[in-house]
Amino acid sequence: MKPLNDNTHPLESLLQQHCPNGVEFRELGEVCEIEGGKLNANKAQPKGLCEFFTYDYKNPKFVDNYAWDTEALIICKKDNGENPCRYFKGKFNAFQWVRILHSFKTEANIHYIKYCFNAIFMQFLQTNSINTSLPYIAIETIKKFQIPIPPIAIQQKIVEILDAFTELQAELQAELHARRKQYEYYRNKLLSFEELQRRTDMLNGGVLSL
């Protein structure tokens, strides 16, 4: 991972160079194709030739036929603690309430769009009084969602910065998980009945064995 440098601001320099008058906002439907999934949820299989995207990001599903073979963003609004927008490249299919963004124009970096969508789309729904309790997002709503589209060099720099932070976050979460497992091991060992009994015996004149 590239080190994060807090002493320089290349993004600020790029903004001043390429966007002295601000950044243009475009409707998402202007920079990519947007479609809905093709299949019912009951088509999901535990094994198959292609990934099948449903609401359940944490437990992948599969099917034997694909509707897309491309680089895409997969959007699922259901509140399962995950970002609503995910990146995927390859052959896949999707549940009918999932939304697929693909065929991005050259002025839009797909990873920049992913970060932008995850950062502000749910706020956009709430600000515009769009019913967030529905289990799906209308395709027309996504098409009309306006996002800032700076020059591609700036999009790439934003992606580079956010990728670095995402990688750092994953490393910290892995370290935290390892420390938590270590803590649980020693807690369970030191507070187990056998351990307490062994130490009690030692205090009563026995020998403490390791």
Side-chain angles (χ1 to χ4, degrees), residues 87-205:
Y87 171 83
F88 185 82
K89 183 177 182 180
K91 297 177 180 178
F92 67 95
N93 220 315
F95 174 51
Q96 59 188 357
W97 286 348
V98 171
R99 304 310 183 208
I100 314 299
L101 279 58
H102 63 93
S103 303
F104 286 82
K105 294 185 177 179
T106 55
E107 64 265 30
N109 180 303
I110 188 171
H111 298 286
Y112 167 80
I113 299 298
K114 177 194 68 178
Y115 281 123
C116 195
F117 193 99
N118 283 333
I120 61 178
F121 183 73
M122 297 308 291
Q123 182 181 355
F124 160 77
L125 293 181
Q126 295 166 358
T127 301
N128 290 274
S129 299
I130 296 171
N131 189 351
T132 58
S133 66
L134 294 175
Y136 62 89
I137 308 171
I139 291 177
E140 286 303 314
T141 298
I142 300 175
K143 285 183 177 180
K144 294 184 181 302
F145 173 49
Q146 292 195 341
I147 57 174
I149 303 290
I152 198 70
I154 294 177
Q155 294 181 45
Q156 291 170 344
K157 177 58 66 174
I158 291 173
V159 168
E160 179 182 321
I161 293 170
L162 294 178
D163 278 351
F165 275 110
T166 299
E167 184 177 344
L168 177 61
Q169 181 185 36
E171 291 173 358
L172 291 173
Q173 288 175 339
E175 175 67 16
L176 178 61
H177 177 73
R179 294 298 183 185
R180 186 174 292 144
K181 297 293 287 185
Q182 186 180 43
Y183 160 76
E184 291 172 353
Y185 170 79
Y186 283 108
R187 179 197 63 192
N188 294 339
K189 180 175 177 60
L190 293 173
L191 297 180
S192 68
F193 174 80
E194 292 81 4
E195 181 68 16
L196 293 174
Q197 184 63 53
R198 187 169 67 92
R199 292 179 179 274
T200 299
D201 293 342
M202 181 273 297
L203 291 173
N204 291 331

Side-chain angles (χ1 to χ4, degrees), residues 57 74-78 80-86 114-115 117-119 122 166 169:
Y57 279 148
I74 316 298
I75 297 175
C76 170
K77 190 191 75 66
K78 188 173 180 62
N80 59 2
E82 302 287 342
N83 290 322
C85 183
R86 289 195 168 192
K114 177 194 68 178
Y115 281 123
F117 193 99
N118 283 333
M122 297 308 291
T166 299
Q169 181 185 36

Side-chain angles (χ1 to χ4, degrees), residues 35-46:
E35 298 182 88
K38 308 295 185 182
L39 300 177
N40 292 326
N42 60 11
K43 297 296 183 180
Q45 306 169 179

Side-chain angles (χ1 to χ4, degrees), residues 9-76:
H9 302 280
L11 181 58
E12 188 67 29
S13 176
L14 284 171
L15 286 169
Q16 293 174 358
Q17 178 182 353
H18 295 286
C19 307
N21 300 316
V23 176
E24 177 187 14
F25 277 69
R26 302 271 298 277
E27 290 186 354
L28 196 51
E30 297 176 11
V31 299
C32 67
E33 297 294 326
I34 303 172
E35 298 182 88
K38 308 295 185 182
L39 300 177
N40 292 326
N42 60 11
K43 297 296 183 180
Q45 306 169 179
K47 295 181 180 180
L49 300 177
C50 308
E51 188 141 359
F52 178 48
F53 289 100
T54 66
Y55 286 151
D56 191 357
Y57 279 148
K58 296 181 179 179
N59 298 291
K61 305 294 191 302
F62 299 90
V63 290
D64 289 328
N65 61 308
Y66 64 92
W68 294 273
D69 182 5
T70 187
E71 189 177 30
L73 295 179
I74 316 298
I75 297 175
C76 170

